[in-house]
Amino acid sequence: MRFLARGPHDIDVLHEHVLHDATREKDIPLRIYAPLTGGPYPLVVFSHGAGDSNATSPLLLRHWASHGYVVIAPTHLFGPRPLIERSLLRLREELKRPQTLGPEAWRVRTGDLVAVMDHVDVLMRGVPLLRDRIDPERIAIAGHSFGGYTVMLLGGATLTEANAGVVHRFADPRPRGVMIISGPGRDDMGLTRDSWNEFTKPLMVMAGSRDPGYLPAGTMWRAEPYHFAPPGDKYLLYLRGAHHLSYVGSVIDI
């Protein structure tokens, strides 16, 4: 990541802005990256991985902003603090809990991204860095790891409860493209071979040869959203030698 070519735009980073989502009575901490001048620019809403926060992936998000994108990254809160601020032992225990990676997380995380898209006009009025910077008709969603899981649900992937056979849909019509960075394929939490049958949005999937998967498919497990989505407007970037964090650079932006 350190060798990415910087784009033509000077940028600024608003390290903390709190968005209040009145529909859920929830405050969402945001980190915002944007070009200093010009616009309006396309918006990328970025979802971090499980146990991370909006401070992760700074090199990637700064890179996008320097090339003419506004990037808004929420912290998906489960309790008063992001999981990443807890002890390593506590974090490992939290990640084993169904509410951290299961149905509650599906609702919380997709709801956070929906809230950002719902409040684009509010953010442009209330955040000087964003005034006249965002084109609300050009929105993409991107996510790393469990953030990739999150954006694929908003993009149209479905979840099926194994015992009940209930199909869950979270698709939102506004994102015009989806980027899944080191996300999952089929799992035991509802993603099946048919989960991507209705996924028709432009899609880019990133996977790497040192990024092991969940099933015997090995590292190609992370490429399953690409292989199982319908043909057309989809791309797979498979990086030889890439591990789980190769795509996003350093973990924390201070």
Side-chain angles (χ1 to χ4, degrees):
M1 293 296 300
R2 71 182 63 181
F3 300 115
L4 285 176
R6 179 181 171 183
H9 299 279
D10 292 327
I11 72 166
D12 196 5
V13 181
L14 180 59
H15 285 80
E16 205 65 45
H17 178 81
V18 176
L19 172 66
H20 181 67
D21 179 12
T23 61
R24 298 182 297 163
E25 286 301 321
K26 180 183 181 183
D27 288 335
I28 308 170
L30 304 179
R31 185 156 296 196
I32 299 169
Y33 303 76
L36 282 171
T37 60
Y41 298 105
L43 170 65
V44 179
V45 186
F46 181 79
S47 179
H48 62 72
D52 293 337
S53 75
N54 63 22
T56 58
S57 311
L59 295 183
L60 178 63
L61 306 191
R62 288 175 183 269
H63 174 74
W64 288 345
S66 77
H67 283 271
Y69 296 87
V70 171
V71 185
I72 299 179
T75 292
H76 302 296
L77 288 175
F78 294 88
R81 293 182 295 147
L83 293 180
I84 199 170
E85 294 181 3
R86 305 174 194 183
S87 70
L88 181 59
L89 180 61
R90 176 72 183 278
L91 175 58
R92 287 173 177 167
E93 291 303 313
E94 290 277 4
L95 291 178
K96 294 177 184 177
R97 298 176 185 272
Q99 64 265 34
T100 305
L101 297 177
E104 182 178 344
W106 308 338
R107 292 188 292 270
V108 168
R109 294 176 66 101
T110 55
D112 291 342
L113 301 193
V114 167
V116 172
M117 293 187 286
D118 285 345
H119 290 84
V120 166
D121 289 342
V122 173
L123 291 168
M124 283 200 287
R125 290 195 303 268
V127 179
L129 178 61
L130 296 182
R131 196 152 297 151
D132 300 322
R133 293 282 188 273
I134 299 175
D135 181 350
E137 299 301 318
R138 293 189 293 166
I139 298 176
I141 50 177
H144 173 249
S145 192
F146 200 58
Y149 194 108
T150 305
V151 299
M152 76 169 70
L153 297 183
L154 283 179
T158 59
L159 298 169
T160 303
E161 290 187 41
N163 296 328
V166 177
V167 178
H168 297 272
R169 290 178 170 83
F170 299 85
D172 190 287
R174 288 168 293 188
R176 295 176 60 177
V178 181
M179 178 182 288
I180 301 170
I181 306 172
S182 191
R186 292 166 294 174
D187 60 18
D188 58 0
M189 294 191 299
L191 287 174
T192 71
R193 174 62 179 80
D194 296 324
S195 287
W196 295 274
N197 288 352
E198 301 173 15
F199 201 111
T200 58
K201 291 183 182 291
L203 171 67
M204 182 172 185
V205 177
M206 298 175 66
S209 65
R210 294 177 58 202
D211 194 5
Y214 176 77
L215 294 175
T219 58
M220 292 307 292
W221 173 70
R222 297 195 182 277
E224 286 187 348
Y226 167 80
H227 290 296
F228 295 157
D233 283 336
K234 62 178 185 177
Y235 306 88
L236 171 65
L237 177 61
Y238 187 79
L239 298 173
R240 185 172 298 170
H243 55 75
H244 196 56
L245 296 178
S246 295
Y247 321 88
V248 295
S250 60
V251 177
I252 291 292
D253 188 15
I254 58 175

